[in-house]
Amino acid sequence: MAAQWRTYSDNELIAVMRRQGDDAQHAFGELYTRYADRVYAYCLRVLGNEEEARDVFQEAFYRFYRTCRTDGDKSTAGLLITVARNLCLNSKRDRKHTVPVEEWHIVALGSPYEQKELLTLVSSALELLDFPLREAFVLRQYQQFSYNEMAEITGESVDVLKNRVWRAKEKLKELLSPILEDLSQL
């Protein structure tokens, strides 16, 4: 019976959820299965903290369940990311946390372990960016949203978002270039 829900489009599943009843839970479960990894990855990359990301992720799906029954204008992915984004903004506002550069662990590049370490450095560098730059970078590079989709999610213009992505990349290069230079000399 669960396999039948895989054939439904997102809009059809939301329509089932709006009618409520027993099938609403199955429809929600299918949407959760389709989008959970993507939403959690967004929360984790924007917040940089697993526990906080899990909390925001769970709250995002709870609010999505309530919201999707009334808001039919956005795509499912767009609505979920918008809800998650608002919760991430609230969470970031409520706490100020950065990772000091001294805590970065630097190793030479080459092995898969070392490449993973570099990804950890990039994640740490993302923590140092202001929220608008980090969010634009994550939406574009990690979530692979188009600039138009990003504009729908954030309410910003496409030009502003392009500028933020560019500025985020420049800032990441600035932060990581000394480390990468040191690594290339090993």
Side-chain angles (χ1 to χ4, degrees):
M1 175 129 179
Q4 90 179 46
W5 297 105
R6 288 187 214 126
T7 62
Y8 282 55
S9 70
D10 290 354
N11 290 338
E12 291 171 325
L13 291 169
I14 289 173
V16 170
M17 289 172 59
R18 285 184 178 144
R19 289 192 301 262
Q20 300 201 3
D22 293 337
D23 288 341
Q25 289 181 357
H26 296 291
F28 176 75
E30 178 60 29
L31 289 171
Y32 180 89
T33 300
R34 290 179 189 179
Y35 294 102
D37 290 343
R38 189 173 185 182
V39 173
Y40 178 72
Y42 170 81
C43 294
L44 182 59
R45 287 190 178 109
V46 168
L47 296 172
N49 175 298
E50 287 185 35
E51 184 177 341
E52 188 177 13
R54 266 193 309 275
D55 291 344
V56 168
F57 162 77
Q58 290 173 352
E59 181 68 17
F61 269 95
Y62 171 73
R63 290 192 185 185
F64 166 75
Y65 183 80
R66 290 189 343 218
T67 303
C68 74
R69 290 184 277 160
T70 59
D71 186 355
D73 295 338
K74 290 186 178 179
S75 70
T76 302
L79 180 58
L80 273 165
I81 294 297
T82 300
V83 170
R85 173 187 187 265
N86 291 336
L87 291 168
C88 287
L89 284 169
N90 291 344
S91 182
K92 293 297 275 183
R93 181 196 64 224
D94 294 343
R95 69 130 173 110
K96 296 285 183 193
H97 178 262
T98 59
V99 177
V101 174
E102 298 83 38
E103 290 183 16
W104 291 1
H105 301 286
I106 302 170
V107 296
L109 299 177
S111 72
Y113 172 78
E114 293 161 340
Q115 291 171 0
K116 183 178 179 194
E117 195 68 27
L118 179 61
L119 291 175
T120 301
L121 287 172
V122 171
S123 293
S124 296
L126 273 173
E127 284 280 318
L128 299 173
L129 297 179
D130 291 335
F131 186 84
L133 297 181
R134 180 182 327 146
E135 177 188 40
F137 184 84
V138 167
L139 287 171
R140 182 72 179 160
Q141 298 302 126
Y142 289 107
Q143 295 292 318
Q144 299 178 345
F145 279 108
S146 71
Y147 284 107
N148 288 333
E149 291 170 319
M150 291 168 59
E152 184 180 313
I153 290 167
T154 64
E156 299 288 349
S157 73
V158 169
D159 289 337
V160 165
L161 293 166
K162 285 180 179 180
N163 182 274
R164 285 182 183 168
V165 170
W166 179 83
R167 287 178 37 217
K169 287 178 181 179
E170 291 300 307
K171 187 67 174 172
L172 288 172
K173 285 180 200 174
E174 177 186 321
L175 290 169
L176 295 173
S177 65
I179 297 165
L180 295 176
E181 286 175 23
D182 287 346
L183 293 175
S184 68
Q185 294 174 6
L186 293 177

